[in-house]
Amino acid sequence: MIQKVFIPQLGQTVTETKIEKWLKKEGDIIEKGDILLEVTTDKATVEVESFYKGILKKIISFEGETLPVLSTIALIGDKEDALPNIENIIK
């Protein structure tokens, strides 16, 4: 089953986060707890870990992008999972 990876809420006053660096790439096998990427808020740079295991099927948002918290940034799923329509995911 496809799972969405979100920009986490990193504090009560944080409304947006910048993607600094992806540490995994599409096609990588992901375990729960693996560090996927680094993001920066107005106060700190933080590592974002995966809550799911599977394959990093699709990266939707890229390094340098600034996004609202809880934005979908990637999809993790099993080998046989088909990707949904990305436009429907990011709305």
Side-chain angles (χ1 to χ4, degrees), residues 67-86:
L67 304 161
V69 296
L70 303 179
S71 295
T72 301
I73 56 171
L75 302 173
I76 294 176
D78 294 326
K79 181 179 176 181
E80 63 277 355
D81 288 335
L83 287 173
N85 182 331
I86 299 302

Side-chain angles (χ1 to χ4, degrees), residues 1-6 26-28 50-60 72-86 88-90:
M1 178 162 86
I2 295 288
Q3 301 290 337
K4 297 178 185 179
V5 178
F6 297 96
E26 288 182 8
D28 283 354
S50 178
F51 293 106
Y52 310 108
K53 78 180 245 181
I55 297 171
L56 184 55
K57 302 281 281 184
K58 183 72 177 169
I59 294 175
I60 299 170
T72 301
I73 56 171
L75 302 173
I76 294 176
D78 294 326
K79 181 179 176 181
E80 63 277 355
D81 288 335
L83 287 173
N85 182 331
I86 299 302
N88 293 336
I89 294 291
I90 58 176

Side-chain angles (χ1 to χ4, degrees), residues 7-62:
I7 291 281
Q9 177 76 47
L10 297 170
Q12 290 181 332
T13 61
V14 176
T15 60
E16 61 183 21
T17 303
K18 180 180 178 185
I19 297 175
E20 290 295 333
K21 181 178 181 182
W22 277 96
L23 303 175
K24 300 290 184 178
K25 62 184 183 307
E26 288 182 8
D28 283 354
I29 296 172
I30 306 297
E31 296 293 331
K32 287 182 184 177
D34 282 356
I35 305 301
L36 298 174
L37 69 154
E38 295 174 348
V39 298
T40 300
T41 69
D42 58 339
K43 297 180 182 184
T45 298
V46 179
E47 295 176 331
V48 177
E49 69 179 56
S50 178
F51 293 106
Y52 310 108
K53 78 180 245 181
I55 297 171
L56 184 55
K57 302 281 281 184
K58 183 72 177 169
I59 294 175
I60 299 170
S61 299
F62 300 95

